[in-house]
Amino acid sequence: MVASVSKEMDTQALWKRYEDWLYYHEGLGLYLDISRMRFTDSLVETLKPKFEKAFQDMAALEGGAIANPDENRMVGHYWLRDPDLAPLSLGQEIIDTLKQIETFVQKVHSGEIVPPEAPKFTDILSIGIGGSALGPQFVAEALSPLDSPMPIHFIDNTDPAGIDRVLNKLGDRLKSTLVIVTSKSGGTPETRNGMLEVKHAYELQNLNFPKHAVAITMQGSKLDELGGMEGWVAEFPMFDWVGGRTSQFSAVGLLAASLQGIDVRAILQGAKDADSATRIPDLKQNPAALLALAWYYAGNGKGERDMVILPYKDSLLLFSRYLQQLVMESLGKETDLDGKVVNQGIAVYGNKGSTDQHAYVQQLREGVPNFFATFIEVLQDREGDSIEVEPGATSGDYLSGLLQGTRRALYDNRRDSIVITIPEVTPYTVGLLIALYERAVGLYASLVNVNAYHQPGVEAGKKAAASVLDLQTRAIAALKDAGQPISLTELAIQAGAPDEIETIYKILRHLEANDRGVRLEGDRAKPSSLTVSAS
């Protein structure tokens, strides 16, 4: 582990360290405390040249440099909240898209755009996966008002039972539901499957699906072509230079949020102001750089410790899930920019406080010290006054006390932690939190020399899944050609995949469980003894 400060620091020394490393930005209302991370001044000096390069890399990225060399793409999610930074005509495209969203939402809310079978759209059904789902889900959980003009529902997986659950919850309101389908290419299997399942549900109720459907996609994609051919209600653009995990400030996140009645202009302003604060090329004056420093120290520059996110506010419950994708997909890379095998990344998990006082904080305090914690503190308890649950103390006082006590208990047992403090949960502060972590990820990626803007492992998984489905097609064809019971080994040979017996067995087991024309006979504990036939 990188050199750390002594455990035996007295109270006065800790207070001085707190003041030395406390970051506060009055305009943002943001505090950042990394004083309970035990890095030394010598580590900071060692990292200064790396940070100088990281600041230069981020400036080049915002200036339109090719930041994703694998795909020869610019990376422009920062332009989404400040179009003046965007090169050429891209800035105007960002501005026009936001105006298009606002005009569309006004027409939906006013009843100018309506479904054919109902007087008004009442609900939103969002179909997407990964960044196309996690960002909108986090923002909805954090900010959607109780009296939202349009509650939102999500299909974010290709799980049939999960899809049924969402559709059953909508029930008769399907006829007044606006369906948003989000896919850059239009060919993402999970999103396509969700769309086809929902389309089928509309057809079963004799409803006109295209008159309920909105596409968010790239021009010329399969989804763009389908929406144009079928006459969908509207389409909004996805940009080639924005990745899914950084797309919350594009139509991907802004359309759904605006339909729910969330102030998207305030979200964008919070992100823009956070960008200004995190653009400063000075470690101690840049909160994203301070986060990157803490991460580098905690994991020895190699991700050796997990990042535990503990928001002490119910509305921020999904922040850890959102950060899982942002951090792990961005930083989890086998090779660095020089092609050297480095196996980088930081594992992220979390739930919320004080729920975790009664769950995994026990292990954090006394178990394997393989993590560092990040507490998210919200100063405002609620709108309005609070009752005293005991003399001089409110429920919010308890929540604050539990955060402070857990932080102290962890530190006393040599567990490091960070505290991020915001005044309240609003569109502005949610925008700034997202932007803060986006910049921290970019800076840390530069420190460890990885490409934060591609995802070869995800693409490999997609290709592997496609190969399994291709094998399923060949195995079924071979089974039908056999015309009689056949062993798994023989079926694998006939399907042209003699080395894929286990995969074929699992395919057949799944098909049999769903009455898909397959029957297995023999000892289930010894799959090699089974014979398979078409039923």
Side-chain angles (χ1 to χ4, degrees):
M1 173 57 66
V2 176
S4 61
V5 298
S6 171
K7 177 183 177 181
E8 288 76 28
M9 291 183 70
D10 61 26
T11 303
Q12 288 301 316
L14 273 178
W15 172 243
K16 184 179 186 305
R17 182 173 173 83
Y18 176 77
E19 286 197 301
D20 286 346
W21 285 101
L22 177 65
Y23 172 89
Y24 174 64
H25 190 293
E26 184 176 4
L28 296 174
L30 173 71
Y31 296 84
L32 174 61
D33 168 23
I34 63 168
S35 66
R36 295 318 192 256
M37 303 295 290
R38 293 174 170 85
F39 58 86
T40 62
D41 291 343
S42 62
L43 173 64
V44 176
E45 287 300 316
T46 299
L47 289 179
K48 277 187 176 179
K50 287 181 176 288
F51 271 107
E52 290 175 4
K53 179 180 182 300
F55 293 136
Q56 293 169 5
D57 288 345
M58 295 303 297
L61 180 149
E62 287 190 312
I66 299 299
N68 185 358
D70 286 15
E71 300 172 349
N72 196 34
R73 289 180 182 173
M74 298 182 293
V75 174
H77 50 276
Y78 295 101
W79 308 332
L80 296 171
R81 52 266 202 172
D82 192 352
D84 291 341
L85 296 176
L88 303 175
S89 62
L90 298 182
Q92 191 59 49
E93 193 172 3
I94 295 167
I95 293 169
D96 291 345
T97 298
L98 180 56
K99 290 179 179 178
Q100 181 187 359
I101 289 170
E102 291 177 329
T103 299
F104 177 79
V105 170
Q106 189 277 326
K107 289 181 178 180
V108 170
H109 285 171
S110 68
E112 186 176 344
I113 295 176
V114 297
E117 305 90 353
K120 206 168 185 178
F121 282 111
T122 62
D123 292 77
I124 309 161
L125 176 55
S126 175
I127 304 174
I129 195 164
S132 300
L134 286 167
Q137 285 172 338
F138 164 53
V139 169
E141 180 76 16
L143 298 173
S144 189
L146 293 176
D147 59 349
S148 172
M150 297 179 70
I152 192 166
H153 315 266
F154 293 93
I155 291 176
D156 63 352
N157 199 1
T158 186
D159 173 15
I163 294 169
D164 289 347
R165 185 176 182 181
V166 174
L167 292 173
N168 289 337
K169 183 177 180 181
L170 282 166
D172 292 340
R173 296 201 311 281
L174 205 61
K175 66 179 180 292
S176 60
T177 295
L178 186 70
V179 182
I180 302 174
V181 183
T182 304
S183 174
K184 183 178 280 189
S185 67
T188 305
E190 297 93 336
T191 304
R192 178 207 61 201
N193 295 354
M195 179 195 70
L196 293 174
E197 291 267 8
V198 171
K199 187 175 184 179
H200 177 64
Y202 272 84
E203 291 168 350
L204 289 177
Q205 293 190 27
N206 295 315
L207 300 173
N208 188 341
F209 174 73
K211 298 305 179 184
H212 294 252
V214 173
I216 301 178
T217 189
M218 283 185 61
Q219 189 173 11
S221 73
K222 294 178 182 178
L223 186 57
D224 171 49
E225 294 173 357
L226 179 65
M229 181 179 65
E230 294 186 345
W232 285 23
V233 178
E235 181 178 317
F236 298 90
M238 294 183 80
F239 304 122
D240 183 58
W241 35 268
V242 176
R245 57 189 173 279
T246 55
S247 64
Q248 180 56 34
F249 302 122
S250 71
V252 171
L254 299 182
L255 176 61
S258 188
L259 286 166
Q260 292 169 80
I262 298 168
D263 185 350
V264 297
R265 292 274 181 175
I267 293 177
L268 292 169
Q269 190 63 51
K272 181 179 178 180
D273 290 351
D275 285 344
S276 295
T278 58
R279 198 176 286 125
I280 296 171
D282 182 331
L283 173 60
K284 296 196 77 169
Q285 299 303 315
N286 184 322
L290 291 171
L291 281 178
L293 165 65
W295 298 355
Y296 190 98
Y297 158 72
N300 203 20
K302 301 174 183 177
E304 293 174 354
R305 293 181 186 270
D306 302 340
M307 182 189 303
V308 180
I309 304 295
L310 300 172
Y312 274 64
K313 208 68 176 175
D314 287 0
S315 59
L316 298 180
L317 169 66
L318 296 183
F319 195 39
S320 60
R321 283 191 63 200
Y322 176 78
L323 292 180
Q324 272 183 339
Q325 181 180 30
L326 176 64
V327 175
M328 295 177 72
E329 190 170 359
S330 298
L331 301 180
K333 303 296 159 64
E334 182 176 20
T335 60
D336 65 12
L337 288 168
D338 300 321
K340 179 183 176 183
V341 174
V342 290
N343 298 117
Q344 274 286 356
I346 302 175
V348 180
Y349 64 93
N351 189 13
K352 68 177 182 180
S354 66
T355 297
D356 294 314
Q357 313 293 130
H358 306 279
Y360 55 74
V361 166
Q362 167 63 33
Q363 177 167 315
L364 299 186
R365 174 66 170 78
E366 299 183 1
V368 183
N370 61 346
F371 72 95
F372 63 99
T374 301
F375 296 96
I376 312 293
E377 178 184 28
V378 180
L379 293 177
Q380 185 186 73
D381 291 337
R382 59 155 52 103
E383 292 184 9
D385 297 331
S386 293
I387 65 167
E388 292 186 354
V389 294
E390 62 180 54
T394 67
S395 296
D397 294 339
Y398 265 91
L399 189 65
S400 178
L402 287 163
L403 186 157
Q404 302 301 335
T406 302
R407 170 178 175 266
R408 178 182 298 175
L410 292 180
Y411 184 79
D412 286 347
N413 213 27
R414 299 194 62 80
R415 270 65 170 171
D416 290 335
S417 67
I418 300 165
V419 182
I420 295 173
T421 303
I422 56 174
E424 56 186 322
V425 178
T426 65
Y428 183 88
T429 56
V430 166
L432 90 83
L433 281 175
I434 292 173
L436 172 65
Y437 272 89
E438 284 181 349
R439 182 82 63 168
V441 164
L443 291 171
Y444 182 87
S446 180
L447 294 182
V448 299
N449 195 38
V450 298
N451 180 358
Y453 308 108
H454 70 161
Q455 48 282 331
V458 175
E459 300 306 318
K462 291 178 180 178
K463 292 177 181 178
S467 71
V468 172
L469 291 171
D470 175 68
L471 181 57
Q472 176 173 309
T473 299
R474 288 186 281 134
I476 292 172
L479 183 61
K480 290 180 178 178
D481 289 343
Q484 61 183 6
I486 187 173
S487 71
L488 291 173
T489 301
E490 184 60 29
L491 180 60
I493 293 171
Q494 294 300 319
D499 297 328
E500 295 285 356
I501 300 174
E502 180 180 330
T503 302
I504 288 176
Y505 163 61
K506 291 179 178 178
I507 289 170
L508 298 174
R509 186 177 63 179
H510 174 255
L511 293 174
E512 182 188 44
N514 288 277
D515 297 324
R516 299 275 300 283
V518 170
R519 184 171 65 252
L520 291 163
E521 294 182 347
D523 185 350
R524 300 283 172 150
K526 296 181 179 179
S528 62
S529 72
L530 296 174
T531 59
V532 57
S533 59
S535 61

